[in-house]
Amino acid sequence: MRKPGKAPTMSDVARVTGVSSMTVSRAFKDDASVSKETRDRIRKAAEKLGYVIDSTASGLSSRRTGFVAVVIPSINNANFADTLRGLTEGLRSTNLQLLLGYTDYDVKEEERLVELFLRRRPEAVIVTGGYHTARCRKFLKNAGVPVAEMWDLPSKPIDHVVGFSNAAAAELMVHHFHDQGFRKIGFIGGDTSRDTRGKDRRAGFVAALEKLGLDTTRIIAWGTPPITMREGASAMRQMLEQWPDTEAVMCVSDLSAFGAMTECQRAGLSVPGDIAIGGFGSYDLSELAIPDITTIDVGARDIGRHVADWLRTVLTDSPGQAVDSVSIEPKLLARGSTLRSLQTSD
Amino acid sequence: MRKPGKAPTMSDVARVTGVSSMTVSRAFKDDASVSKETRDRIRKAAEKLGYVIDSTASGLSSRRTGFVAVVIPSINNANFADTLRGLTEGLRSTNLQLLLGYTDYDVKEEERLVELFLRRRPEAVIVTGGYHTARCRKFLKNAGVPVAEMWDLPSKPIDHVVGFSNAAAAELMVHHFHDQGFRKIGFIGGDTSRDTRGKDRRAGFVAALEKLGLDTTRIIAWGTPPITMREGASAMRQMLEQWPDTEAVMCVSDLSAFGAMTECQRAGLSVPGDIAIGGFGSYDLSELAIPDITTIDVGARDIGRHVADWLRTVLTDSPGQAVDSVSIEPKLLARGSTLRSLQTSD
DNA sequence: TCATCTTACGTTAGCGCTAACGTAGAATCC
DNA sequence: GGATTCTACGTTAGCGCTAACGTAAGATGA
């Protein structure tokens, strides 16, 4: 820790280099008109002084903070991590910085975060999902900056959208089960009051079963989202107790699917011989597990990339030409956990 | 998006409520002396106007930004997520906000992030690990704010430290292997040029083997940290090819351990019957896997909590009384993947 | 009863930076 | 060769807020 006095300012750098502070300011921007020698002199003096430009002050003055507020449900989730990766990569060429927050799947916490973040005057706000508290919606609408909702296709978008239909994705899995000859199909997910994307998946699951004329009662809701592997295992235990003749189970995520599958295996059931299991999210885990787990790839990284593309257009390149919202097409990855034809003899 | 004009300021709120902007400022702080009625009137007017206080300006003026910069290697890692959770919980009572960045295990990227973050004038900086570029160290030392290094016990700490010895943790695993009667012991990890904690674990592994007089050559370095499940599987394939008589393998993380274990199982080897496998980090996965995987719990959440405790002391409560650095004691969790006595007959 | 304290505000002067405009000197043009 | 353009800076004002200080009116004390 540097003790003596306060941090050096631009005028300090200006003084030692014999220029005005405005020239120092210009020397720290890319497009400004400063001669190369002057710029190098200033930069060198700044580095020697330990000067670091103060974004707080420059943001106030220029009215450009360089912040993009991003709110995701969880920081420990391969899918959202992929989206963030796409975002980060797409914004690397800009000088925008992510102001990142996670809600733990709580819209009230989202509201709190959005308010906190808006105080920082971000140049754009990116939220996950299309469900928000009324107050949060108001904040986002009044923010005066571009807003993107991702990972969902809200019926009443606030502004820009990059997402997919969770219900349609769930339908993919149901149809796959049906194609494989399964008829007694269950669903494992968390408490739906929080995870709205999980709720949409479950709704899509039920709707698809109804269209096929199948039983829609085999549903276990267990645990607070994000539902863990352990909770997936507990849920499967309940499922087997309540409906022992279940032929296939769709899980709200790959993690719970893995937990459910290991629970079956511990109970002496063969997957998919005795019961088929599908997941959601295309985690590494679902590819490595034995058997590998059928899942749905939602193109998480693409979501981030699309959001970044839109951001660059709106914030820098050409603010005029609006980019349309993007609808991602989820893909089913059929694997061993639901394919009896692939099953190796044990 | 609100189109007309600019965002309302404090003076706008002051005007409609008939007070000075200073009173509005006070109405948005907790400890200030404003009558309850005036405060309520101001708050109500502000909400109606859609006024949100501007932290950029207040930070510049008060020289307190409310930011705590946090740099972690990865956002998709249950361990660091737990640490962040501990931090977030510990700071909830304050009005400090995390400015979060991830390095992808790259110290050069850490340097870039630290410089970027210092521009925001955080009130403290928290970094992961004790290895930094020279320029990054200089930044941190000159920052003029408290700095914490976590997840490691650096020999030359910059300021505060909350961590554990990765080498000692690896030793725990080696001794466990030895106790179980294993002598031909291997190590699977990523490219050590990046993941310095992984490097320390490997060094501790080698040192422990040497002390026991065992062969230290069975080491596979494969993949860029964070090493994935898939890379763990590939590494195990190489291990079995090069040293088919290996009895036990320590993996740098639970993820690679799971990949390695499934690779063995696919190859028809029994775990732990033919080969024992240990992981690191105590992920959910290691408990659910079949068999469950012996691992090392490093108290990730405690690390975050301790850092938060220290932060509260240094930044608010009583800046004078220094808190000592904290050394966490990793714990070995012995499980099925290394315990032959527990093995069930297949 | 008057000095003293307390409460609840208002005034003034910046925090460190940059937008907008100004300008001297050199380069360019026909 | 005078008008014009360009390059490389400097000057001025102000972004929106708060620290520090000031003050009027009521409360308190002996």
Side-chain angles (χ1 to χ4, degrees), chain A residues 2 47 52 55 65 75 88 102 104 119-121 135 142 230 266 284 287-288, chain B residues 2 47 52 55 65 75 85 88 102 119-121 135 142 230 266 284 287-288:
Chain A
R2 180 175 38 68
E47 187 88 10
V52 177
S55 305
T65 58
I75 36 156
T88 308
Y102 63 98
D104 271 330
R119 295 184 184 175
R120 305 287 181 182
R121 297 294 187 265
R135 190 146 171 274
N142 289 338
R230 241 183 302 262
R266 279 182 223 277
D284 278 1
E287 198 182 345
L288 269 285
Chain B
R2 181 175 33 70
E47 188 88 7
V52 177
S55 305
T65 58
I75 37 157
R85 200 170 298 276
T88 308
Y102 62 99
R119 296 183 184 175
R120 305 288 181 183
R121 297 296 186 264
R135 190 147 171 273
N142 290 337
R230 240 184 302 264
R266 278 181 224 279
D284 279 359
E287 196 181 346
L288 269 285

mmCIF file of all heavy atoms in Angstrom, chain A residues 2 47 52 55 65 75 88 102 104 119-121 135 142 230 266 284 287-288, chain B residues 2 47 52 55 65 75 85 88 102 119-121 135 142 230 266 284 287-288:
data_model
loop_
_atom_site.group_PDB
_atom_site.id
_atom_site.type_symbol
_atom_site.label_atom_id
_atom_site.label_comp_id
_atom_site.label_asym_id
_atom_site.label_seq_id
_atom_site.Cartn_x
_atom_site.Cartn_y
_atom_site.Cartn_z
ATOM 1 N N ARG A 2 0.618 2.122 -0.944
ATOM 2 C CA ARG A 2 1.321 3.397 -0.996
ATOM 3 C C ARG A 2 0.683 4.325 0.026
ATOM 4 O O ARG A 2 -0.477 4.629 -0.002
ATOM 5 C CB ARG A 2 1.192 3.986 -2.405
ATOM 6 C CG ARG A 2 1.898 5.325 -2.567
ATOM 7 C CD ARG A 2 1.819 5.773 -4.016
ATOM 8 N NE ARG A 2 0.524 5.436 -4.617
ATOM 9 C CZ ARG A 2 -0.612 5.991 -4.280
ATOM 10 N NH1 ARG A 2 -0.656 6.902 -3.364
ATOM 11 N NH2 ARG A 2 -1.727 5.628 -4.873
ATOM 12 N N GLU A 47 3.470 6.156 -16.164
ATOM 13 C CA GLU A 47 3.852 4.845 -15.643
ATOM 14 C C GLU A 47 4.824 5.016 -14.475
ATOM 15 O O GLU A 47 4.716 4.336 -13.457
ATOM 16 C CB GLU A 47 4.494 4.009 -16.760
ATOM 17 C CG GLU A 47 4.781 2.565 -16.400
ATOM 18 C CD GLU A 47 3.580 1.646 -16.686
ATOM 19 O OE1 GLU A 47 2.603 2.101 -17.336
ATOM 20 O OE2 GLU A 47 3.623 0.491 -16.262
ATOM 21 N N VAL A 52 -2.790 6.117 -12.714
ATOM 22 C CA VAL A 52 -3.816 5.322 -13.386
ATOM 23 C C VAL A 52 -5.018 6.232 -13.587
ATOM 24 O O VAL A 52 -5.472 6.881 -12.643
ATOM 25 C CB VAL A 52 -4.229 4.110 -12.542
ATOM 26 C CG1 VAL A 52 -5.345 3.343 -13.223
ATOM 27 C CG2 VAL A 52 -3.044 3.205 -12.297
ATOM 28 N N SER A 55 -11.517 6.459 -14.073
ATOM 29 C CA SER A 55 -12.734 6.303 -14.883
ATOM 30 C C SER A 55 -13.932 6.960 -14.226
ATOM 31 O O SER A 55 -14.896 7.323 -14.901
ATOM 32 C CB SER A 55 -13.074 4.829 -15.091
ATOM 33 O OG SER A 55 -12.013 4.140 -15.643
ATOM 34 N N THR A 65 -19.518 5.745 -19.233
ATOM 35 C CA THR A 65 -18.839 5.027 -18.162
ATOM 36 C C THR A 65 -18.067 3.812 -18.661
ATOM 37 O O THR A 65 -17.168 3.323 -17.987
ATOM 38 C CB THR A 65 -19.853 4.522 -17.125
ATOM 39 O OG1 THR A 65 -20.796 3.688 -17.788
ATOM 40 C CG2 THR A 65 -20.565 5.694 -16.476
ATOM 41 N N ILE A 75 -23.393 -17.780 -11.161
ATOM 42 C CA ILE A 75 -22.027 -17.725 -11.698
ATOM 43 C C ILE A 75 -21.408 -19.103 -11.776
ATOM 44 O O ILE A 75 -20.317 -19.251 -12.265
ATOM 45 C CB ILE A 75 -21.092 -16.865 -10.826
ATOM 46 C CG1 ILE A 75 -21.451 -17.042 -9.372
ATOM 47 C CG2 ILE A 75 -21.084 -15.435 -11.236
ATOM 48 C CD1 ILE A 75 -20.327 -16.735 -8.466
ATOM 49 N N THR A 88 -17.871 -11.589 -23.571
ATOM 50 C CA THR A 88 -16.534 -11.041 -23.327
ATOM 51 C C THR A 88 -15.736 -10.997 -24.620
ATOM 52 O O THR A 88 -15.123 -9.985 -24.956
ATOM 53 C CB THR A 88 -15.790 -11.903 -22.290
ATOM 54 O OG1 THR A 88 -16.622 -12.054 -21.143
ATOM 55 C CG2 THR A 88 -14.489 -11.257 -21.886
ATOM 56 N N TYR A 102 -25.026 -11.659 -10.088
ATOM 57 C CA TYR A 102 -25.832 -12.873 -10.191
ATOM 58 C C TYR A 102 -26.960 -12.828 -9.171
ATOM 59 O O TYR A 102 -26.820 -12.279 -8.090
ATOM 60 C CB TYR A 102 -24.977 -14.125 -10.023
ATOM 61 C CG TYR A 102 -24.305 -14.270 -8.685
ATOM 62 C CD1 TYR A 102 -24.865 -15.077 -7.696
ATOM 63 C CD2 TYR A 102 -23.116 -13.627 -8.411
ATOM 64 C CE1 TYR A 102 -24.257 -15.223 -6.461
ATOM 65 C CE2 TYR A 102 -22.504 -13.761 -7.184
ATOM 66 C CZ TYR A 102 -23.072 -14.554 -6.215
ATOM 67 O OH TYR A 102 -22.468 -14.692 -5.000
ATOM 68 N N ASP A 104 -28.991 -15.603 -8.142
ATOM 69 C CA ASP A 104 -29.425 -16.854 -7.522
ATOM 70 C C ASP A 104 -30.879 -17.159 -7.868
ATOM 71 O O ASP A 104 -31.633 -17.652 -7.023
ATOM 72 C CB ASP A 104 -29.244 -16.799 -6.001
ATOM 73 C CG ASP A 104 -27.867 -17.273 -5.588
ATOM 74 O OD1 ASP A 104 -27.309 -18.120 -6.298
ATOM 75 O OD2 ASP A 104 -27.361 -16.793 -4.568
ATOM 76 N N ARG A 119 -27.190 2.870 -10.961
ATOM 77 C CA ARG A 119 -26.492 3.988 -10.321
ATOM 78 C C ARG A 119 -25.125 4.201 -10.943
ATOM 79 O O ARG A 119 -24.576 5.287 -10.882
ATOM 80 C CB ARG A 119 -26.310 3.702 -8.835
ATOM 81 C CG ARG A 119 -27.612 3.620 -8.096
ATOM 82 C CD ARG A 119 -27.357 3.440 -6.621
ATOM 83 N NE ARG A 119 -28.628 3.261 -5.922
ATOM 84 C CZ ARG A 119 -28.736 2.980 -4.647
ATOM 85 N NH1 ARG A 119 -27.645 2.835 -3.919
ATOM 86 N NH2 ARG A 119 -29.909 2.849 -4.080
ATOM 87 N N ARG A 120 -24.576 3.146 -11.493
ATOM 88 C CA ARG A 120 -23.254 3.242 -12.107
ATOM 89 C C ARG A 120 -23.341 3.784 -13.523
ATOM 90 O O ARG A 120 -22.336 3.859 -14.217
ATOM 91 C CB ARG A 120 -22.582 1.869 -12.127
ATOM 92 C CG ARG A 120 -22.487 1.191 -10.765
ATOM 93 C CD ARG A 120 -21.455 1.846 -9.890
ATOM 94 N NE ARG A 120 -21.345 1.191 -8.588
ATOM 95 C CZ ARG A 120 -20.522 1.616 -7.638
ATOM 96 N NH1 ARG A 120 -19.751 2.666 -7.834
ATOM 97 N NH2 ARG A 120 -20.474 1.009 -6.475
ATOM 98 N N ARG A 121 -24.523 4.083 -13.965
ATOM 99 C CA ARG A 121 -24.760 4.639 -15.305
ATOM 100 C C ARG A 121 -24.141 3.789 -16.412
ATOM 101 O O ARG A 121 -23.296 4.256 -17.178
ATOM 102 C CB ARG A 121 -24.224 6.072 -15.391
ATOM 103 C CG ARG A 121 -24.920 7.059 -14.442
ATOM 104 C CD ARG A 121 -26.376 7.249 -14.838
ATOM 105 N NE ARG A 121 -27.034 8.296 -14.057
ATOM 106 C CZ ARG A 121 -27.760 8.069 -12.946
ATOM 107 N NH1 ARG A 121 -27.903 6.835 -12.485
ATOM 108 N NH2 ARG A 121 -28.343 9.065 -12.331
ATOM 109 N N ARG A 135 -41.299 -3.293 -10.611
ATOM 110 C CA ARG A 135 -40.378 -2.187 -10.371
ATOM 111 C C ARG A 135 -39.124 -2.333 -11.225
ATOM 112 O O ARG A 135 -38.588 -1.352 -11.751
ATOM 113 C CB ARG A 135 -40.015 -2.176 -8.872
ATOM 114 C CG ARG A 135 -39.272 -0.968 -8.422
ATOM 115 C CD ARG A 135 -39.618 -0.567 -6.994
ATOM 116 N NE ARG A 135 -38.710 0.483 -6.537
ATOM 117 C CZ ARG A 135 -37.518 0.242 -5.979
ATOM 118 N NH1 ARG A 135 -37.120 -1.003 -5.787
ATOM 119 N NH2 ARG A 135 -36.746 1.250 -5.606
ATOM 120 N N ASN A 142 -37.041 2.845 -18.038
ATOM 121 C CA ASN A 142 -36.674 4.246 -17.843
ATOM 122 C C ASN A 142 -35.172 4.478 -17.863
ATOM 123 O O ASN A 142 -34.720 5.605 -17.719
ATOM 124 C CB ASN A 142 -37.214 4.745 -16.495
ATOM 125 C CG ASN A 142 -38.712 4.890 -16.509
ATOM 126 O OD1 ASN A 142 -39.311 5.025 -17.582
ATOM 127 N ND2 ASN A 142 -39.318 4.844 -15.343
ATOM 128 N N ARG A 230 -27.471 -33.593 -6.316
ATOM 129 C CA ARG A 230 -28.027 -34.289 -5.160
ATOM 130 C C ARG A 230 -29.546 -34.215 -5.170
ATOM 131 O O ARG A 230 -30.240 -35.189 -4.908
ATOM 132 C CB ARG A 230 -27.503 -33.642 -3.881
ATOM 133 C CG ARG A 230 -26.709 -34.548 -2.984
ATOM 134 C CD ARG A 230 -26.313 -33.809 -1.728
ATOM 135 N NE ARG A 230 -25.527 -32.615 -2.045
ATOM 136 C CZ ARG A 230 -24.198 -32.575 -2.005
ATOM 137 N NH1 ARG A 230 -23.530 -33.644 -1.653
ATOM 138 N NH2 ARG A 230 -23.545 -31.477 -2.306
ATOM 139 N N ARG A 266 -27.523 -46.716 -8.691
ATOM 140 C CA ARG A 266 -27.321 -47.196 -7.329
ATOM 141 C C ARG A 266 -28.465 -48.121 -6.902
ATOM 142 O O ARG A 266 -28.298 -49.038 -6.112
ATOM 143 C CB ARG A 266 -27.230 -46.016 -6.357
ATOM 144 C CG ARG A 266 -25.860 -45.366 -6.322
ATOM 145 C CD ARG A 266 -25.799 -44.233 -5.308
ATOM 146 N NE ARG A 266 -25.094 -43.075 -5.850
ATOM 147 C CZ ARG A 266 -23.781 -42.936 -5.874
ATOM 148 N NH1 ARG A 266 -23.011 -43.876 -5.397
ATOM 149 N NH2 ARG A 266 -23.218 -41.870 -6.391
ATOM 150 N N ASP A 284 -20.486 -30.611 -20.269
ATOM 151 C CA ASP A 284 -19.452 -31.620 -20.495
ATOM 152 C C ASP A 284 -19.847 -32.939 -19.832
ATOM 153 O O ASP A 284 -19.675 -34.016 -20.392
ATOM 154 C CB ASP A 284 -18.123 -31.164 -19.882
ATOM 155 C CG ASP A 284 -17.382 -30.205 -20.801
ATOM 156 O OD1 ASP A 284 -17.917 -29.901 -21.885
ATOM 157 O OD2 ASP A 284 -16.278 -29.768 -20.416
ATOM 158 N N GLU A 287 -21.673 -35.610 -21.609
ATOM 159 C CA GLU A 287 -20.955 -36.344 -22.651
ATOM 160 C C GLU A 287 -20.043 -37.415 -22.036
ATOM 161 O O GLU A 287 -19.812 -38.459 -22.626
ATOM 162 C CB GLU A 287 -20.123 -35.367 -23.482
ATOM 163 C CG GLU A 287 -19.682 -35.934 -24.818
ATOM 164 C CD GLU A 287 -18.821 -34.957 -25.587
ATOM 165 O OE1 GLU A 287 -18.812 -33.754 -25.225
ATOM 166 O OE2 GLU A 287 -18.147 -35.403 -26.526
ATOM 167 N N LEU A 288 -19.524 -37.106 -20.854
ATOM 168 C CA LEU A 288 -18.562 -38.015 -20.215
ATOM 169 C C LEU A 288 -19.230 -39.119 -19.400
ATOM 170 O O LEU A 288 -18.654 -40.182 -19.184
ATOM 171 C CB LEU A 288 -17.627 -37.218 -19.301
ATOM 172 C CG LEU A 288 -16.334 -36.669 -19.868
ATOM 173 C CD1 LEU A 288 -15.327 -37.803 -20.043
ATOM 174 C CD2 LEU A 288 -16.553 -35.960 -21.190
ATOM 175 N N ARG B 2 -36.306 5.461 -22.159
ATOM 176 C CA ARG B 2 -36.840 6.804 -22.015
ATOM 177 C C ARG B 2 -36.109 7.709 -22.999
ATOM 178 O O ARG B 2 -34.920 7.880 -22.991
ATOM 179 C CB ARG B 2 -36.626 7.280 -20.580
ATOM 180 C CG ARG B 2 -37.175 8.659 -20.306
ATOM 181 C CD ARG B 2 -37.035 9.004 -18.839
ATOM 182 N NE ARG B 2 -35.837 8.415 -18.254
ATOM 183 C CZ ARG B 2 -34.604 8.807 -18.550
ATOM 184 N NH1 ARG B 2 -34.409 9.779 -19.396
ATOM 185 N NH2 ARG B 2 -33.576 8.229 -17.984
ATOM 186 N N GLU B 47 -38.743 8.580 -6.746
ATOM 187 C CA GLU B 47 -39.291 7.371 -7.382
ATOM 188 C C GLU B 47 -40.214 7.772 -8.535
ATOM 189 O O GLU B 47 -40.207 7.162 -9.603
ATOM 190 C CB GLU B 47 -40.043 6.540 -6.335
ATOM 191 C CG GLU B 47 -40.503 5.178 -6.819
ATOM 192 C CD GLU B 47 -39.435 4.092 -6.618
ATOM 193 O OE1 GLU B 47 -38.397 4.366 -5.978
ATOM 194 O OE2 GLU B 47 -39.640 2.992 -7.130
ATOM 195 N N VAL B 52 -32.522 7.995 -10.220
ATOM 196 C CA VAL B 52 -31.606 7.025 -9.621
ATOM 197 C C VAL B 52 -30.304 7.750 -9.342
ATOM 198 O O VAL B 52 -29.756 8.406 -10.226
ATOM 199 C CB VAL B 52 -31.347 5.834 -10.564
ATOM 200 C CG1 VAL B 52 -30.336 4.889 -9.956
ATOM 201 C CG2 VAL B 52 -32.638 5.119 -10.883
ATOM 202 N N SER B 55 -23.831 7.043 -8.878
ATOM 203 C CA SER B 55 -22.653 6.667 -8.085
ATOM 204 C C SER B 55 -21.374 7.208 -8.694
ATOM 205 O O SER B 55 -20.378 7.379 -7.999
ATOM 206 C CB SER B 55 -22.527 5.149 -8.002
ATOM 207 O OG SER B 55 -23.676 4.570 -7.513
ATOM 208 N N THR B 65 -16.040 4.853 -3.848
ATOM 209 C CA THR B 65 -16.810 4.329 -4.973
ATOM 210 C C THR B 65 -17.729 3.188 -4.572
ATOM 211 O O THR B 65 -18.665 2.858 -5.290
ATOM 212 C CB THR B 65 -15.868 3.787 -6.058
ATOM 213 O OG1 THR B 65 -15.042 2.768 -5.465
ATOM 214 C CG2 THR B 65 -14.988 4.896 -6.609
ATOM 215 N N ILE B 75 -15.183 -18.168 -13.993
ATOM 216 C CA ILE B 75 -16.523 -17.992 -13.441
ATOM 217 C C ILE B 75 -17.312 -19.280 -13.468
ATOM 218 O O ILE B 75 -18.426 -19.329 -13.006
ATOM 219 C CB ILE B 75 -17.352 -16.957 -14.224
ATOM 220 C CG1 ILE B 75 -17.027 -17.068 -15.701
ATOM 221 C CG2 ILE B 75 -17.175 -15.585 -13.692
ATOM 222 C CD1 ILE B 75 -18.119 -16.546 -16.538
ATOM 223 N N ARG B 85 -19.619 -16.618 -3.137
ATOM 224 C CA ARG B 85 -20.824 -16.660 -2.330
ATOM 225 C C ARG B 85 -20.504 -16.218 -0.895
ATOM 226 O O ARG B 85 -21.212 -15.392 -0.316
ATOM 227 C CB ARG B 85 -21.397 -18.074 -2.350
ATOM 228 C CG ARG B 85 -22.849 -18.197 -1.986
ATOM 229 C CD ARG B 85 -23.345 -19.598 -2.292
ATOM 230 N NE ARG B 85 -23.248 -19.886 -3.720
ATOM 231 C CZ ARG B 85 -24.174 -19.539 -4.600
ATOM 232 N NH1 ARG B 85 -25.259 -18.933 -4.202
ATOM 233 N NH2 ARG B 85 -24.019 -19.815 -5.877
ATOM 234 N N THR B 88 -19.941 -12.458 -1.028
ATOM 235 C CA THR B 88 -21.193 -11.726 -1.215
ATOM 236 C C THR B 88 -22.001 -11.702 0.068
ATOM 237 O O THR B 88 -22.484 -10.646 0.486
ATOM 238 C CB THR B 88 -22.029 -12.387 -2.328
ATOM 239 O OG1 THR B 88 -21.213 -12.539 -3.497
ATOM 240 C CG2 THR B 88 -23.243 -11.543 -2.667
ATOM 241 N N TYR B 102 -12.778 -12.247 -14.507
ATOM 242 C CA TYR B 102 -12.141 -13.555 -14.521
ATOM 243 C C TYR B 102 -11.012 -13.583 -15.539
ATOM 244 O O TYR B 102 -11.083 -12.931 -16.578
ATOM 245 C CB TYR B 102 -13.151 -14.670 -14.790
ATOM 246 C CG TYR B 102 -13.840 -14.605 -16.121
ATOM 247 C CD1 TYR B 102 -13.400 -15.387 -17.189
ATOM 248 C CD2 TYR B 102 -14.929 -13.782 -16.322
ATOM 249 C CE1 TYR B 102 -14.033 -15.349 -18.413
ATOM 250 C CE2 TYR B 102 -15.562 -13.727 -17.547
ATOM 251 C CZ TYR B 102 -15.119 -14.510 -18.593
ATOM 252 O OH TYR B 102 -15.744 -14.455 -19.809
ATOM 253 N N ARG B 119 -8.755 1.714 -12.382
ATOM 254 C CA ARG B 119 -9.307 2.954 -12.922
ATOM 255 C C ARG B 119 -10.641 3.297 -12.285
ATOM 256 O O ARG B 119 -11.052 4.447 -12.270
ATOM 257 C CB ARG B 119 -9.515 2.829 -14.428
ATOM 258 C CG ARG B 119 -8.234 2.644 -15.179
ATOM 259 C CD ARG B 119 -8.501 2.595 -16.658
ATOM 260 N NE ARG B 119 -7.264 2.331 -17.380
ATOM 261 C CZ ARG B 119 -7.180 2.129 -18.677
ATOM 262 N NH1 ARG B 119 -8.283 2.166 -19.410
ATOM 263 N NH2 ARG B 119 -6.030 1.910 -19.253
ATOM 264 N N ARG B 120 -11.311 2.272 -11.810
ATOM 265 C CA ARG B 120 -12.617 2.498 -11.178
ATOM 266 C C ARG B 120 -12.461 2.910 -9.722
ATOM 267 O O ARG B 120 -13.464 3.057 -9.030
ATOM 268 C CB ARG B 120 -13.463 1.230 -11.265
ATOM 269 C CG ARG B 120 -13.656 0.677 -12.670
ATOM 270 C CD ARG B 120 -14.586 1.553 -13.467
ATOM 271 N NE ARG B 120 -14.797 1.022 -14.823
ATOM 272 C CZ ARG B 120 -15.525 1.635 -15.738
ATOM 273 N NH1 ARG B 120 -16.123 2.772 -15.452
ATOM 274 N NH2 ARG B 120 -15.662 1.116 -16.935
ATOM 275 N N ARG B 121 -11.253 3.013 -9.260
ATOM 276 C CA ARG B 121 -10.969 3.407 -7.883
ATOM 277 C C ARG B 121 -11.696 2.559 -6.858
ATOM 278 O O ARG B 121 -12.500 3.071 -6.063
ATOM 279 C CB ARG B 121 -11.307 4.896 -7.685
ATOM 280 C CG ARG B 121 -10.469 5.848 -8.521
ATOM 281 C CD ARG B 121 -9.018 5.792 -8.137
ATOM 282 N NE ARG B 121 -8.219 6.816 -8.838
ATOM 283 C CZ ARG B 121 -7.533 6.590 -9.954
ATOM 284 N NH1 ARG B 121 -7.545 5.384 -10.511
ATOM 285 N NH2 ARG B 121 -6.806 7.546 -10.494
ATOM 286 N N ARG B 135 4.423 -6.139 -13.333
ATOM 287 C CA ARG B 135 3.654 -4.899 -13.488
ATOM 288 C C ARG B 135 2.398 -4.951 -12.635
ATOM 289 O O ARG B 135 1.999 -3.961 -12.018
ATOM 290 C CB ARG B 135 3.302 -4.724 -14.978
ATOM 291 C CG ARG B 135 2.719 -3.387 -15.317
ATOM 292 C CD ARG B 135 3.105 -2.915 -16.713
ATOM 293 N NE ARG B 135 2.335 -1.730 -17.068
ATOM 294 C CZ ARG B 135 1.140 -1.779 -17.632
ATOM 295 N NH1 ARG B 135 0.584 -2.941 -17.924
ATOM 296 N NH2 ARG B 135 0.491 -0.655 -17.918
ATOM 297 N N ASN B 142 0.960 -0.187 -5.389
ATOM 298 C CA ASN B 142 0.780 1.263 -5.458
ATOM 299 C C ASN B 142 -0.675 1.692 -5.399
ATOM 300 O O ASN B 142 -0.977 2.879 -5.453
ATOM 301 C CB ASN B 142 1.387 1.800 -6.759
ATOM 302 C CG ASN B 142 2.895 1.737 -6.752
ATOM 303 O OD1 ASN B 142 3.503 1.701 -5.682
ATOM 304 N ND2 ASN B 142 3.500 1.711 -7.918
ATOM 305 N N ARG B 230 -13.031 -33.845 -20.254
ATOM 306 C CA ARG B 230 -12.567 -34.495 -21.473
ATOM 307 C C ARG B 230 -11.046 -34.607 -21.466
ATOM 308 O O ARG B 230 -10.485 -35.649 -21.833
ATOM 309 C CB ARG B 230 -13.003 -33.659 -22.680
ATOM 310 C CG ARG B 230 -13.909 -34.373 -23.657
ATOM 311 C CD ARG B 230 -14.195 -33.483 -24.843
ATOM 312 N NE ARG B 230 -14.818 -32.220 -24.424
ATOM 313 C CZ ARG B 230 -16.126 -31.996 -24.417
ATOM 314 N NH1 ARG B 230 -16.951 -32.943 -24.827
ATOM 315 N NH2 ARG B 230 -16.625 -30.849 -24.024
ATOM 316 N N ARG B 266 -14.587 -47.036 -19.115
ATOM 317 C CA ARG B 266 -14.843 -47.366 -20.515
ATOM 318 C C ARG B 266 -13.818 -48.378 -21.029
ATOM 319 O O ARG B 266 -14.108 -49.187 -21.908
ATOM 320 C CB ARG B 266 -14.779 -46.090 -21.365
ATOM 321 C CG ARG B 266 -16.073 -45.271 -21.357
ATOM 322 C CD ARG B 266 -15.972 -44.030 -22.232
ATOM 323 N NE ARG B 266 -16.531 -42.859 -21.582
ATOM 324 C CZ ARG B 266 -17.823 -42.561 -21.538
ATOM 325 N NH1 ARG B 266 -18.699 -43.352 -22.122
ATOM 326 N NH2 ARG B 266 -18.257 -41.494 -20.915
ATOM 327 N N ASP B 284 -19.704 -31.315 -6.041
ATOM 328 C CA ASP B 284 -20.847 -32.214 -5.918
ATOM 329 C C ASP B 284 -20.601 -33.501 -6.699
ATOM 330 O O ASP B 284 -20.894 -34.597 -6.238
ATOM 331 C CB ASP B 284 -22.111 -31.541 -6.482
ATOM 332 C CG ASP B 284 -22.734 -30.593 -5.477
ATOM 333 O OD1 ASP B 284 -22.198 -30.491 -4.360
ATOM 334 O OD2 ASP B 284 -23.751 -29.975 -5.810
ATOM 335 N N GLU B 287 -19.122 -36.541 -5.194
ATOM 336 C CA GLU B 287 -19.929 -37.274 -4.225
ATOM 337 C C GLU B 287 -20.967 -38.158 -4.921
ATOM 338 O O GLU B 287 -21.332 -39.220 -4.433
ATOM 339 C CB GLU B 287 -20.634 -36.279 -3.295
ATOM 340 C CG GLU B 287 -21.175 -36.941 -2.032
ATOM 341 C CD GLU B 287 -21.895 -35.946 -1.143
ATOM 342 O OE1 GLU B 287 -21.750 -34.725 -1.362
ATOM 343 O OE2 GLU B 287 -22.621 -36.403 -0.248
ATOM 344 N N LEU B 288 -21.431 -37.696 -6.076
ATOM 345 C CA LEU B 288 -22.505 -38.417 -6.784
ATOM 346 C C LEU B 288 -21.973 -39.501 -7.707
ATOM 347 O O LEU B 288 -22.678 -40.462 -8.022
ATOM 348 C CB LEU B 288 -23.318 -37.417 -7.623
ATOM 349 C CG LEU B 288 -24.549 -36.769 -6.975
ATOM 350 C CD1 LEU B 288 -25.685 -37.783 -6.916
ATOM 351 C CD2 LEU B 288 -24.269 -36.227 -5.597
#
